[in-house]
Amino acid sequence: MATERRYMYYPKSLLSQSCLSFLLLITATLIDTALGIQRIVEHPTDQSVIVDNSVILHCKVADRVGTVQWTRNKFGLGNDRSLSAYPRYSVIGSQVNGEYNLWIQNASLLDDGVYECQISHTATQRGVRSNPAKVSVLLPPREPTIDSSPVITVTEGIDYNITCRSYDGKPAPNITWWINGQLQNKRSYEIVTTQSDGKREDIVGLMTIKPSKQDHGKEFECRAINPALTSYLKTTAKLHVLYKPQVTLSVSPPTEVTENTVMQFKCQADANPRVTSWKWYRNGNILSESSQLLEITSRQNYHGQTIKCEAINTVGKTTKSYKLNIEYSPRFVKEPLNVDADLGGRATLNCVVDGNPVPRVIWKKGSQEFPISKPTLTFSRALTEADFGTYVCVASSNLGSVERQVQLLKNGKPKVTGDLRQYAAEGDDAVIECESDSVPKPKEILWSRGSSKIATTGSSRFSTKESDLVKGRKSILTIKNIHAADYGDYNCTVINNYGMDSAIIKLIQKDAVPLAYVLAGVFGGLGVIVIIVVILIIYNRKKVKDEDSTADTNSTDSANKKNLENVRMEFRSTGSEYPGPQEPWRGDYLANHIRADAEYDQLGNIIPYQHTKQDGRPPVNGYGGHYDYQDGNMYDVDRRSSDRLPTYDSKGIHPRSYDSGFEPDVYPKQYGRPPPSSEFTNDIYGPPPTVTTGRLSTNV
């Protein structure tokens, strides 16, 4: 059975009645004493005893005539003082003095009850009963326990009742709550339940909390105490709080971010349990779901947008946001529009710019700067001729500047401009353009021919197309597959709110390319081709000739080697030693000036002589005298012709030879002879042999 603890409050009227009863009792006692009537002079009082301890209930009588006994819960315990039926009970005190005190030893719950001391009645005396006295046997409770201890897992923000239980107390103990050693007086209450024996009580103490991240790890303590205890019993539990991520967001660089800057965002979170996923958003649009890091390149259109990091665990999700502050140079939100106005009217020029930091805007016209710093230039007075023209809007900041021209145009009648003579070839599509200066823009541009308007709607040959110009509009009349009848005058009429203007545009036939130009191009191309062919032929011939000359020279060298070997064999057959060939002398000197072919090497046979020198000059191919070399041998050459060699100059060079410029200063000594004398004459060399001149070549 559950009961609630209540405090008893007694009204003043009830207290007055108690005092009156006490006075009446005192009066009755005094009367009984005076009359000698048996009575109880000391009544037992309520007593509390801790289980297993002893308690004494006092009872003192006077003028006793009857028998004294004690009752428990209205059941008599016996008349003898030893109370043999109840070994733990006995009556003590001086019987002479009328003391009948009840001594209860090793109290147990059986002793718990209401006791009375009674004097039995006699023939002359009435029976007397003492005031009832309640004996309360106190029982200490068992150790308290906290549900889900030693660790209580709770979720942040959700109300939770921490429950402490204590059983088998008599009475039920009081429960107090402590957090980290601090007494808690709020949000706690108790439920007491009486057990079936009607004596023992159980208690449940509850403390309601709304846990937060800050409560994580705190120690909650439940203390239980009742009158049977000299010190409290306690139990503790740790609070384990599950909480959603607590997010921090860092940005690098943190300030002064300009366009095209690489920005790094790092999201960190304190969470229990740990974060299971991360998400990144820009202006609500998801960017990434991969990691704690995000890298972006700043853009002008990112300014003012929000980067948001979201961390998620099993408890919930938390976001942290960062508003982008991107610095960028001034720019025009939209291109400024030209404004047309009437002479004497009013006008406002607009220049809508954007930038971060906010740009400064100024207006200029020529060298004049207007004392205004805002994106609108308003003419509050009547416009004059001087006000019309070109204005410049300049927007600037520390990151740069931009400017645009804005025209203040004067309204008036239109004027047709452009080329009044236009051309098209027969069979082609003709395109006739009609341009106009018109402020305001034309309401209509009409095409006509003669007195008839050209109808373009539904026409398969005629069509028009219009496009705006800075100060007017252009209309294009297209005529498909024109023929001779289409050439001639076309009228273009431009109409606006202030008047109209028209002009005659003449369409003229465009001739084809003249035949003379075509022929000239053909023959010119053929001439170029012929020249290229001739150059290639000459080049190939020269190349072939050079290759033949090289081949002849190689053949001659081979023949010379063979003849030289024959000469050596002749010398050996006569028992003489071959002193050396003549070719090296010619090779050392003349070969640098005259390159002879194989015919010169075949003109004679070298014949050795063993006699003294005659004229001091070497023989040359059998046409001159003799020469005494250092080895004592004379050499002569058998003549093959009666002709004489041509005259040589002072250096021994033939007048038809080619001088390569090579003048050797070292002559081979292995042949045992000096270089030829420079005093070569016709007498020495004699007439030249008959030689095919085509076989001669210069040494180049």
Side-chain angles (χ1 to χ4, degrees):
M1 182 177 71
T3 61
E4 290 188 8
R5 297 189 175 210
R6 292 185 174 89
Y7 295 98
M8 302 301 293
Y9 297 94
Y10 299 94
K12 291 182 178 181
S13 59
L14 184 58
L15 291 174
S16 300
Q17 292 176 2
S18 297
C19 292
L20 180 59
S21 298
F22 178 74
L23 291 174
L24 293 174
L25 179 61
I26 294 298
T27 302
T29 301
L30 291 174
I31 294 173
D32 289 343
T33 301
L35 296 177
I37 299 174
Q38 64 178 3
R39 60 194 179 276
I40 297 174
V41 296
E42 184 179 356
H43 292 263
T45 60
D46 293 344
Q47 297 286 331
S48 295
V49 60
I50 299 174
V51 69
D52 296 331
N53 289 332
S54 300
V55 65
I56 297 175
L57 297 176
H58 294 274
C59 179
K60 187 176 183 180
V61 302
D63 298 326
R64 178 185 67 83
V65 177
T67 302
V68 177
Q69 76 165 350
W70 284 89
T71 64
R72 183 185 70 190
N73 297 328
K74 299 181 179 182
F75 183 80
L77 299 178
N79 294 325
D80 60 302
R81 294 180 70 92
S82 63
L83 300 178
S84 56
Y86 299 94
R88 294 183 296 107
Y89 290 6
S90 61
V91 177
I92 62 174
S94 173
Q95 187 174 352
V96 174
N97 295 328
E99 295 174 352
Y100 293 86
N101 300 324
L102 180 62
W103 182 26
I104 304 174
Q105 301 178 69
N106 297 322
S108 69
L109 289 179
L110 294 175
D111 304 324
D112 193 82
V114 178
Y115 291 79
E116 289 182 356
C117 177
Q118 299 178 355
I119 305 174
S120 64
H121 66 87
T122 65
T124 59
Q125 298 283 334
R126 60 181 176 83
V128 180
R129 299 171 61 184
S130 69
N131 296 330
K134 183 178 182 180
V135 174
S136 297
V137 179
L138 305 179
L139 183 66
R142 282 189 282 172
E143 292 281 346
T145 60
I146 295 178
D147 291 357
S148 303
S149 63
V151 177
I152 303 173
T153 300
V154 296
T155 301
E156 180 184 35
I158 299 177
D159 286 347
Y160 185 85
N161 290 323
I162 300 179
T163 303
C164 180
R165 303 176 186 273
S166 182
Y167 299 107
D168 296 336
K170 186 177 180 300
N174 290 320
I175 298 292
T176 56
W177 290 96
W178 303 71
I179 300 177
N180 286 353
Q182 299 294 319
L183 178 63
Q184 306 297 307
N185 295 316
K186 298 179 180 180
R187 304 192 69 181
S188 64
Y189 59 96
E190 300 167 348
I191 300 174
V192 177
T193 304
T194 301
Q195 293 187 15
S196 59
D197 61 7
K199 300 181 182 300
R200 289 175 297 173
E201 295 178 333
D202 301 331
I203 188 169
V204 176
L206 300 105
M207 185 172 67
T208 303
I209 63 171
K210 186 182 286 291
S212 66
K213 173 183 176 294
Q214 288 71 30
D215 295 325
H216 180 68
K218 287 184 177 180
E219 183 179 74
F220 283 70
E221 182 180 305
C222 171
R223 296 180 183 181
I225 190 168
N226 77 349
L229 295 172
T230 57
S231 63
Y232 58 81
L233 304 175
K234 70 173 185 178
T235 185
T236 61
K238 289 279 188 180
L239 201 63
H240 183 78
V241 181
L242 303 178
Y243 50 91
K244 60 185 179 181
Q246 306 294 309
V247 179
T248 58
L249 179 60
S250 59
V251 185
S252 177
T255 58
E256 298 180 358
V257 177
T258 58
E259 285 186 279
N260 300 317
T261 299
V262 175
M263 301 183 69
Q264 291 183 334
F265 298 83
K266 186 174 183 180
C267 199
Q268 295 177 301
D270 178 15
N272 186 28
R274 66 180 184 83
V275 174
T276 55
S277 64
W278 303 86
K279 291 183 180 181
W280 291 93
Y281 300 85
R282 179 171 59 82
N283 257 27
N285 298 315
I286 192 163
L287 298 176
S288 171
E289 298 184 66
S290 57
S291 71
Q292 296 173 248
L293 299 177
L294 174 69
E295 186 174 285
I296 65 171
T297 301
S298 62
R299 299 284 184 265
Q300 176 269 329
N301 59 310
Y302 292 175
H303 176 64
Q305 295 186 356
T306 299
I307 296 294
K308 182 171 67 176
C309 166
E310 182 178 74
I312 304 169
N313 69 357
T314 56
V315 177
K317 58 186 178 182
T318 306
T319 61
K320 196 73 174 181
S321 299
Y322 179 86
K323 189 173 183 179
L324 295 173
N325 181 25
I326 311 298
E327 294 187 349
Y328 54 94
S329 58
R331 63 201 62 200
F332 289 92
V333 176
K334 59 181 180 180
E335 289 298 316
L337 300 177
N338 297 330
V339 176
D340 50 79
D342 294 332
L343 184 65
R346 303 286 191 272
T348 298
L349 305 182
N350 291 296
C351 176
V352 183
V353 296
D354 180 34
N356 184 33
V358 177
R360 176 176 177 265
V361 179
I362 61 172
W363 288 90
K364 294 191 291 186
K365 184 185 182 191
S367 60
Q368 179 185 4
E369 183 174 317
F370 294 87
I372 186 172
S373 181
K374 56 183 181 179
T376 58
L377 177 61
T378 301
F379 296 88
S380 57
R381 54 171 176 76
L383 293 173
T384 65
E385 287 286 354
D387 294 325
F388 295 99
T390 301
Y391 292 79
V392 179
C393 170
V394 181
S396 61
S397 72
N398 61 315
L399 298 178
S401 64
V402 290
E403 61 180 50
R404 289 290 188 277
Q405 290 185 351
V406 183
Q407 301 280 343
L408 179 57
L409 305 172
K410 184 175 68 172
N411 289 326
K413 294 173 57 178
K415 182 179 180 181
V416 177
T417 61
D419 194 353
L420 300 181
R421 295 173 63 86
Q422 301 185 30
Y423 299 85
E426 188 171 350
D428 290 346
D429 291 346
V431 177
I432 308 174
E433 296 182 352
C434 176
E435 297 183 1
S436 63
D437 287 342
S438 177
V439 180
K441 299 294 183 186
K443 295 192 303 181
E444 191 175 15
I445 300 178
L446 303 175
W447 289 91
S448 61
R449 191 174 187 195
S451 59
S452 300
K453 178 182 176 182
I454 298 177
T456 58
T457 303
S459 173
S460 61
R461 295 192 63 225
F462 295 91
S463 63
T464 57
K465 181 181 179 181
E466 295 183 358
S467 59
D468 283 340
L469 305 175
V470 175
K471 293 177 61 177
R473 186 170 293 158
K474 177 170 69 174
S475 177
I476 300 175
L477 174 65
T478 302
I479 308 172
K480 292 184 176 297
N481 189 25
I482 64 171
H483 42 75
D486 294 321
Y487 295 106
D489 295 341
Y490 289 83
N491 183 291
C492 175
T493 301
V494 181
I495 305 169
N496 70 7
N497 293 332
Y498 292 82
M500 60 179 291
D501 187 30
S502 63
I504 300 298
I505 301 175
K506 184 178 290 293
L507 179 62
I508 303 171
Q509 183 175 6
K510 180 169 63 174
D511 294 335
V513 178
L515 180 60
Y517 292 169
V518 175
L519 294 177
V522 171
F523 287 114
L526 291 175
V528 171
I529 294 173
V530 170
I531 292 172
I532 293 173
V533 171
V534 170
I535 291 173
L536 291 175
I537 292 173
I538 294 173
Y539 172 77
N540 287 333
R541 286 182 177 178
K542 184 176 184 303
K543 185 176 180 181
V544 171
K545 182 177 181 181
D546 289 344
E547 291 174 352
D548 290 344
S549 176
T550 302
D552 289 344
T553 302
N554 293 337
S555 176
T556 301
D557 291 343
S558 177
N560 287 341
K561 290 179 182 179
K562 184 175 181 180
N563 289 337
L564 183 60
E565 185 61 29
N566 292 334
V567 171
R568 285 195 181 102
M569 293 178 63
E570 264 188 60
F571 271 92
R572 291 191 188 100
S573 64
T574 59
S576 301
E577 186 68 26
Y578 176 60
Q582 184 180 6
E583 286 80 3
W585 171 80
R586 187 169 64 92
D588 289 342
Y589 185 75
L590 291 181
N592 293 298
H593 301 280
I594 301 174
R595 182 177 178 182
D597 60 15
E599 287 192 11
Y600 278 97
D601 294 325
Q602 303 298 324
L603 292 178
N605 296 319
I606 301 175
I607 302 173
Y609 287 90
Q610 301 292 331
H611 54 75
T612 60
K613 63 180 180 180
Q614 295 180 359
D615 52 12
R617 288 189 175 88
V620 181
N621 290 340
Y623 296 104
H626 309 280
Y627 185 82
D628 184 9
Y629 290 94
Q630 293 178 1
D631 59 1
N633 294 323
M634 295 296 294
Y635 298 90
D636 199 358
V637 179
D638 184 20
R639 298 175 185 267
R640 292 289 185 92
S641 173
S642 60
D643 296 331
R644 306 284 290 184
L645 288 172
T647 304
Y648 289 79
D649 63 12
S650 61
K651 293 184 178 181
I653 304 304
H654 191 279
R656 289 186 300 225
S657 69
Y658 169 74
D659 187 355
S660 67
F662 175 72
E663 295 290 341
D665 56 358
V666 177
Y667 297 88
K669 295 180 180 180
Q670 65 267 30
Y671 302 110
R673 56 179 179 261
S677 171
S678 62
E679 289 122 0
F680 293 156
T681 63
N682 292 336
D683 293 336
I684 295 174
Y685 294 103
T690 301
V691 182
T692 304
T693 58
R695 298 291 299 276
L696 294 176
S697 63
T698 58
N699 182 25
V700 294

